[in-house]
Each structure stands twice: as C-alpha cells, then as structure tokens.
Amino acid sequence: MAFISSGYNPSKPMEDRITDIGPRSFEDFYPPVIKKNKGKWDYHEILKPGVLVHVAESGDKVFTVRCGTCRLMSVSLLREACEIADKYCGGHLRFTTRNNIEFMVTDEKTMEAMIADLESRKHAGGSFKFPIGGTGAGISNIIHTQGWVHCHTPATDASGPVKCVMDEMFEYFQSMKLPAMLRISLACCLNMCGAVHCSDIGIVGIHRKPPIVETEIIDNICEVPLAVAACPTGAIKPTKVEVEGKKVNSVIVNPERCMYCGNCYTMCPAMPLASGQGDGIVLMVGGKVSNRISMPMFSKVVVAYIPNEPPRWPTLTKTIKHIVEVYAKEAKKYERLGEWAERIGWEKFFEVCGLEFSHHCIDDFRDPAYYTWRQSSQFKFTSHVE
Amino acid sequence: MAIVEFKGKTFDVDEDGFLQKFEDWCEEWVEYVKDSEGIKELSPEHRKVIDFLQDYYKKNGIAPMVRILSKVTGFKLKHIYELFPSGPGKGACKMAGLPKPTGCV
C-alpha cells in the first residue's frame, strides 16, 4: 500500500507536536444515568449471572450486563460492541478490570432485548462473541498476558491456555454456585505480569533449563554487569573467553545455582533459555487481594510442572477443573480457596485434591523459606503420600 | 542483521538502529544517527552527553542511570530531552554507540 501521511513531518519531528495531554477524562463517556447519580447509589442486586442492577437514592436504576471477552480482539469485534452500545445503550459501554465488557441500560425491557441479541451472536467457529456472566460467586474472566503472541520471554502461551481453561470453566462463568468468587490468572513467565501471585488459581510459565550464553556477541549487545546483577541466586559470574583468538568479556552460569528464572535473558539478549520440551506451567493456588474476613494472601505453588500441550493444554485444564470441583464441594460459604486450604491444612488440601506433593513445593529461597516450614507438631495424617 | 553504509563507512546495526559493536563507533555514526533522531545541529552539550556516556560505559560496562547522567553533565532530564528528542536511551545511547537498552522498557 502506498504511504499515507498523517501530517507528521519527519524532517521536523518537533513541529506541531502535542504531548503530555494524558487520557480523556472518564466523565466525557458517562452514560447520562451514571453522570446524574454519581456518588448517590443506594444499593445493588445481582439479578442473575452477568446481570446487575444499581438503584440510586433518586430511585433511578441502571441495569448492567457483563459479557466475557477474549481481551485480545480485532477492531471488527470492537466495532460490533460499539454497534450493540449504539443500539441499546445510547452509545455507551465500559470494560472491567478483568477485561469483560459491560453494557448499561436504564429499563428492563431494553435489557431483555439486549440480552437476547447478545446471546445470539456467535463467531463462525461457534463460540459466543459476548457470553453473559462473570458476576458473584463464579469464575469471571482470566487476567492474562502476551504469551507467544507478542512477548520474547514467555515459557508458555497466554491466549491459548486461557481459551482452553475458560472453555472448561464456562459453566462457572455463567453461574454463581461456588462458595465464593474464584479468580484465575495466567502469566507466561515468572515476571508475573498481571495477578497470578494474588489469585485463587495462578497459572505461570516456567523454564527448566539454564540459559545458553552466546559468547561471540554477549559483550557487544549486553551490558554484562546488568546480567550479573539480574540473577536472584548469584549464579552468573563475569569471565573472559577466547573467541577467534580474541579475549572477550562474557559470563558463566553455574547450573547448580540457576533456577531458570530467565531474568538474565530479560537484561541480556545473548542468554536465551526457552525450550520446547523444558518449558511448561506451574500451578499456584490460594491468593486473594481483598481484605474481606482474612487479609490479602499470596498464592502458593501446588503443582511444580505441567508440560505445554498446545493447542488444548489437556493436563492443565483437567487439573484446574478438579481443584475447582473439590473446592466447590468442600469449602464453606464465603470461603475463598486460600482460606479453605488454610483452614483444612495444606496436607489435607493436597489429599482431597489428589495432587502429588513434590519437594519442589518446599520453599528454599533465602531466610524467609524457613518460615514456610512447619515448626509445630500440629498436623493431620494423610493417606495420599505412599 | 542490517548493514548501514554512510559516508564510506559501514555499520552493523540491529532492527532498532543500534550499533551491534561499540568498536564500530566513529564520527560518521554520530552524523548518521543525528538525522534519524531529529537533531539539526550538534552542540557542545550533545557532545558532553555522548562523551560522558562513552566514558562511563568504558569504565563500568553499563550505561549510567538517568540520575547519574543528570548529575554529572548538569543537565536536567527535560534538557536532555530537548537535546535528544527520543530521550537518553533511544537517542543519546544510540548516538554514543552503546548497546540497546534492555529490560521491561
């Protein structure tokens, strides 16, 4: 395609340049009913899965219909969402912090018509474009990252596994039958972009092999001290090596100390470590961010390794489904997954979920590891360990 | 990667236009980058930043933190941006021949 200028002049890049204007004010996009009743909401109800009503002190009502999205979406799908918003919501819509879309209307009749319309929209392959759900004690959208779509440090994909897990969890997206909300998040490497460290179930990509040092180019394209300082276990040392008769700066990685976090690759492109067979997924459970009843919690590693099995990741989805089903059956009302596991004891959690406990789950990182061991005779005898 | 030819010199560069080898740096490289970075005239202040970046890199093996660059040259970050519109990383480091900045940038 021929070049079409936006008016930018590359020979005078600073001319007519607009900068530091920030995002548009959110108030510019309020539906009228939200603008009018802002700060004066009285109460809300969940009418059914995915549908909320907020009632204002003035008596005004706003009905919200929450729809799942794939987060990574085309302009055509966005245009379709805009078309729906134009048709029913006066052109207004919003996205939630878990990347669901919410359409808001002020009367029940329009709401019913919109729900029927939303439910009828499907992709050519058969999947729902705007499935309704994600409210109350169910499983809402999965917070996730870039994966093999765009990032250079992933150990697994993001969009792929998220689609597989949500397919398996779809009934929980469209219902509210769990003891409490259950948050699932995915990060494709240990950078943990997103919320895996504080989710009920966290899916994290991991490596199992140390990086390869590309000695011929490392001193040219890397700042070697940064690679050394990037290592949490001090496994990287600077060294001199001979390349084609010339002494050059490089590093050596002590494989005994390396735990394959990949931080050095983030800082230094000459230390790649991704591996088809080596890479896989860690499952973490029991995190939360709210302070309802118990304090916020980190999620904890319960499955040290699940292989990457594109395109459907069957072992991953099966394991998650099983954990969710056991939690749904065993936990008390309002109890988040982490609260349940802490109450019954982690040895019981492993037993009832049928998960194999391996030494990988025992913390061995610096002084704080000690506090995760059991300094008490309080424990339950469990059967699953042979 | 790509090879750039400019005023009789050739430079091995990556896709973002950073020198692949610090040793390839020369006056012609500064001339070449100047145009693509939106800099009309090289002032002594530009020189001061480039010289300091190179000295620091040779001595320490890393690019200086922005605070150190500011402190030593005496230029506030705002002024560094006036000198190098793309900023200290994409602009000044590229012109000085330092490796491409890494990490979550």
Side-chain angles (χ1 to χ4, degrees), chain A residues 13 191 219-221 223 225 266-267, chain B residues 20-21 38 60-63 102-103:
Chain A
N191 262 5
D219 193 34
N220 291 323
I221 63 169
E223 299 164 65
T266 302
M267 298 314 293
Chain B
Q20 291 286 72
K21 283 185 189 140
N60 300 294
I62 58 171
T102 54

Side-chain angles (χ1 to χ4, degrees), chain A residues 10-14 17 152 191 217 219-226 246 265-269, chain B residues 19-23 35 37-40 57 60-63 81 85 99-104:
Chain A
S11 58
K12 287 180 183 167
M14 302 303 275
R17 179 167 172 262
H152 70 299
N191 262 5
I217 54 166
D219 193 34
N220 291 323
I221 63 169
C222 302
E223 299 164 65
V224 169
L226 293 190
K246 240 174 74 185
Y265 178 60
T266 302
M267 298 314 293
C268 172
Chain B
L19 272 188
Q20 291 286 72
K21 283 185 189 140
F22 183 62
E23 304 93 75
D35 299 335
E37 287 297 319
I39 299 164
K40 276 200 206 77
Y57 181 68
N60 300 294
I62 58 171
Y81 269 92
K100 182 161 66 187
T102 54
C104 299

